[in-house]
Structures are given as structure tokens and as C-alpha cells.
Amino acid sequence: MEKFEISCREEAMNGRNTFADDLLRWYAQEARDLPWRRRSSPYSVLVSEFMLQQTQVATVIPYFTRWMERFPDFESLAAADEEEVLRLWEGLGYYRRARSLHAIALLVAGPLGGALPDDYDSLLQLPGVGPYTAGALASLAFNRPEAALDGNVERLMTRLLDIAEIPGPALREDLRRRITAAIPPGRARDFNQALMELGALVCLPRNPLCLSCPLKGHCLALARGTAAERPLRRLRPPVETVRALALLVTDGDRFLLLRHRDGERWQGLWEFPTFDGDEESVAADLQLDRTAWKKAGSVRHSFTRYRREISAFSLAVGLSLPLPGTEDREARWVAREELGDYPLSAGSRKIREGLIAPAEGESSVDGGRGKA
Ligand code: SF4
């Protein structure tokens, strides 16, 4: 058994837990003042944890603040329609998180009787809640002794224990067990937040700041000089570029928007009609005359391992609708000044913000967004 667990066991026999003491002392001095730490209601913990999944803290802050102003509790979120929920989430990406939050609010407002469950197993049953989020909710919202193993904590733990293994389900389960065993009685909330904070601020992916780490005396990777090699990682598949074409179809000062169907990647979001392929293949598929198009510009965005490059073309109406292949999608003509009211997929949002001039009297079509 590794040093971390040995030290915890020996310390427990001595009635001391210097690992936790060192960690909690550091956290008390260094914790960032983040808006979701100023409230510890289960609702605000839930919202912040969903927003923070795969998203930087600095990006989340303005979204969280705006969200809490508009939806301060489960009731207000449950009463909103999905389009407004997606609109407020627009730009954060991974829209399934927003839909899951909305679904949880509906459950709380209905069958759950007004409150989130407070135990790990029940939390794990909620939409969009996996082992990490269930542990985070149980510990941060309810101070239950459950581990919250996010990517930062996983990196920190593989270094503390100098684990030369690519993290997978079995290793994560083992780490959860070890963390849970190390939580001092009554301190789950602070202990987990301290581990996450230390992983985010000190035990950095590259160049960990070991000299200023409160756990340097407990760290096997530091003692063995292997910190830079932990955790072991699988090679990532290379980024693939895909080309697409968006049509800015106008009728006077109105733009044609199409809604993504249920089950599609950007389900529920709207877009300027966008088609995979290059100019030639899209024109052929849609049986359109390319001389009627006028290049408006191009944008790019990334998702999973793809980089999508979208060329946008203006086209005054004069074509027969619906466009081939879009017959079963909801279509709407939207005035230029109302484009900002629609939740758009990432590529179309960039087109709206970068390629479409604001309506007269507007400073911009939309306010700033946190994430490119
Ligand atoms: S000593 Fe270095 S490698 Fe070890 S936990 Fe601290 S920052 Fe990470």
C-alpha cells in the first residue's frame, strides 16, 4: 500500500491527520472567492457544478451570475421554457448540461417534492449526473463524506501516489475510496473543495508548483522525480478538419433560421441553414445557382476532436423552400434585431456575432460571450 494511505492509517491511530490538516490550512488561506462559494444552497452547487464541467472557471463566472439572476431557484427554472434555458446557456457548449439542469428542476418541482435528494446513490439517478457530480453534490451541498474526483483531483492523486497507470474506471474507483477514507469527520465540503482547488492552482498539468505545495511532504511523485510524467495519458486522436457551408438566406431584413431536430448534436438550437461539404457539393445537393451567392466570410469552431470551418454565403430569397434535406426541420424568418433572442449553435452564433451587421440602433446583435 502506498505512502498516502499508510500515513492516513498511522495518523488515524495517533488521532492525527496531518495530510488533511496541511490541506485544509492551505485552503483556508488560499481559496478563491468564487460566486458559487458565497452561497452553498444545493441549487447553486448544482448549477455551478454543471457549468464547470469541461469549462474554465473564468468562463463560467459571468454565466453563473446571469443564470442566478434569471433563475434563482428550482421553481423559476422549472417554470421556464427550454428555449429560454438554452438561450441563457448559449456559448457555454455541451448543451445537454442545460437540458439536464432543466429536467432536474422539473423533477424537484414535481415528484421530488421541492428538494434535491441528499445521498450519493439517489443523486446518481438524476439526469446528467455521473459519479463525479453525485460526489460533488453530496459533499459540497450536503457535507456528506463522498469523494468528488474531477480531472484536477485525479491528476493530483496520481501524483501523490505516483501511479504509473492510465486512469480508467477501476483506478478512479480506487481513488474515490482512498479520498473518502481520508475525509476528516464533518469536513467533506472543505476537504473536497481544497483538493479541487489545489489541483487547479498548484498541481498544474504542466510544471506543478511543488515548492509551494502544502502536500509536498506527502507526495511520492515529487520524492521520486516523476511528477511531470503523471498521470499517464493515452495518445489523443488527431484533430480532424471538416468543411461546411452556411447560407444567410434573407428576405428583406429577415433571416431564415432552422431548428435542429431532437436527437441531433445541437438539439433544440437554431442555425442559419448549414450543410456539410464545400461550395460545389452543397450547390449541387441543393440544386442552387452559385452565382446567386455572395461570400460573407468564414468562421470556425471546435467540438470533440473536430474543427469545423464554415464558409458563409449571403443569398437573397428567390429559392424554393424548404431546402432539400431540411423538410422536417422547423423554419422561421427572424428579423435582424431579434436574432439575439434565439439560442444558436456554435457556428451560427459566431456568424451572428462576426459576420452580420447589427440592426440600426443596436450596438451589437448580442452581448459578449465567455467562450470562443
Ligand atoms: S508536490 Fe507537486 S506533484 Fe505533488 S501534489 Fe504537490 S504540486 Fe502536485
Side-chain angles (χ1 to χ4, degrees):
M1 197 57 69
E2 302 286 3
K3 181 180 173 184
F4 171 74
E5 206 158 12
I6 292 171
S7 69
C8 285
R9 201 166 51 219
E10 286 174 348
E11 288 164 1
M13 286 166 62
N14 297 331
R16 297 181 61 233
N17 184 346
T18 60
F19 176 88
D21 289 347
D22 292 344
L23 179 65
L24 290 168
R25 194 179 310 115
W26 173 85
Y27 183 66
Q29 290 165 359
E30 304 294 337
R32 288 169 291 180
D33 177 26
L34 300 174
W36 44 90
R37 288 190 181 149
R38 290 176 213 144
R39 340 160 178 230
S40 60
S41 74
Y43 176 72
S44 64
V45 172
L46 178 76
V47 172
S48 63
E49 286 302 326
F50 268 63
M51 288 189 171
L52 286 164
Q53 287 168 19
Q54 316 201 36
T55 311
Q56 305 271 343
V57 164
T59 303
V60 167
I61 288 173
Y63 279 88
F64 178 82
T65 305
R66 205 160 47 115
W67 184 280
M68 295 303 284
E69 280 166 11
R70 172 61 190 89
F71 304 128
D73 47 34
F74 284 116
E75 293 73 29
S76 52
L77 179 55
D81 65 30
E82 185 179 280
E83 193 146 306
E84 188 185 5
V85 171
L86 294 176
R87 176 69 189 84
L88 226 61
W89 198 272
E90 190 194 70
L92 264 183
Y94 301 100
Y95 288 84
R96 185 172 300 178
R97 296 178 295 172
R99 281 190 283 269
S100 295
L101 262 183
H102 194 209
I104 292 173
L106 289 166
L107 284 172
V108 169
L112 291 175
L116 272 184
D118 64 359
D119 65 287
Y120 179 88
D121 289 333
S122 304
L123 289 163
L124 202 52
Q125 306 305 315
L126 297 173
V129 173
Y132 162 71
T133 307
L137 289 170
S139 58
L140 305 192
F142 302 108
N143 208 22
R144 294 252 184 176
E146 299 285 353
L149 187 74
D150 69 358
N152 289 330
V153 176
E154 183 178 297
R155 181 175 62 250
L156 174 72
M157 293 299 293
T158 57
R159 287 173 173 167
L160 280 170
L161 299 162
D162 193 30
I163 295 174
E165 185 182 329
I166 295 174
L171 175 57
R172 293 195 178 104
E173 197 44 51
D174 184 47
L175 294 178
R176 270 188 213 105
R177 183 183 59 75
R178 292 175 190 242
I179 292 170
T180 304
I183 295 173
R187 300 300 304 273
R189 178 182 293 127
D190 289 341
F191 186 82
N192 278 341
Q193 292 201 107
L195 280 180
M196 290 192 263
E197 193 80 334
L198 190 64
L201 299 182
V202 176
C203 197
L204 304 173
R206 288 187 210 112
N207 305 320
L209 308 174
C210 301
L211 287 179
S212 49
C213 178
L215 300 183
K216 56 180 179 278
H218 304 267
C219 182
L220 278 179
L222 176 64
R224 294 173 182 168
T226 55
E229 296 150 36
R230 305 286 178 259
L232 294 186
R233 290 279 178 222
R234 268 191 192 86
L235 284 181
R236 287 188 175 186
V239 172
E240 206 177 301
T241 299
V242 292
R243 299 196 190 288
L245 186 147
L247 289 177
L248 309 183
V249 184
T250 52
D251 176 12
D253 211 32
R254 298 184 307 159
F255 289 78
L256 178 64
L257 292 184
L258 300 180
R259 193 173 198 195
H260 285 273
R261 291 176 285 248
D262 286 355
E264 290 185 330
R265 169 175 291 278
W266 290 292
Q267 169 184 332
L269 301 179
W270 294 82
E271 68 170 13
F272 302 104
T274 304
F275 305 90
D276 288 336
D278 57 20
E279 208 179 328
E280 202 170 326
S281 63
V282 173
D285 288 348
L286 299 181
Q287 299 166 356
L288 291 176
D289 175 6
R290 279 167 62 189
T291 59
W293 304 359
K294 190 166 159 242
K295 182 88 183 259
S298 55
V299 296
R300 64 171 66 149
H301 70 102
S302 299
F303 62 98
T304 59
R305 64 183 188 85
Y306 298 99
R307 184 172 59 197
R308 197 171 188 226
E309 295 185 350
I310 305 177
S311 300
F313 290 83
S314 303
L315 178 65
V317 76
L319 69 176
S320 53
L321 297 174
L323 296 165
T326 70
E327 295 83 354
D328 57 345
R329 296 178 66 181
E330 186 181 347
R332 206 172 282 179
W333 288 101
V334 177
R336 180 185 302 258
E337 65 270 21
E338 289 172 4
L339 285 172
D341 297 338
Y342 283 73
L344 299 181
S345 58
S348 287
R349 178 173 56 85
K350 289 194 165 184
I351 290 172
R352 183 189 69 201
E353 292 173 356
L355 303 182
I356 295 180
E360 221 170 288
E362 283 185 309
S363 56
S364 65
V365 171
D366 192 8
R369 290 285 174 269
K371 196 181 171 206

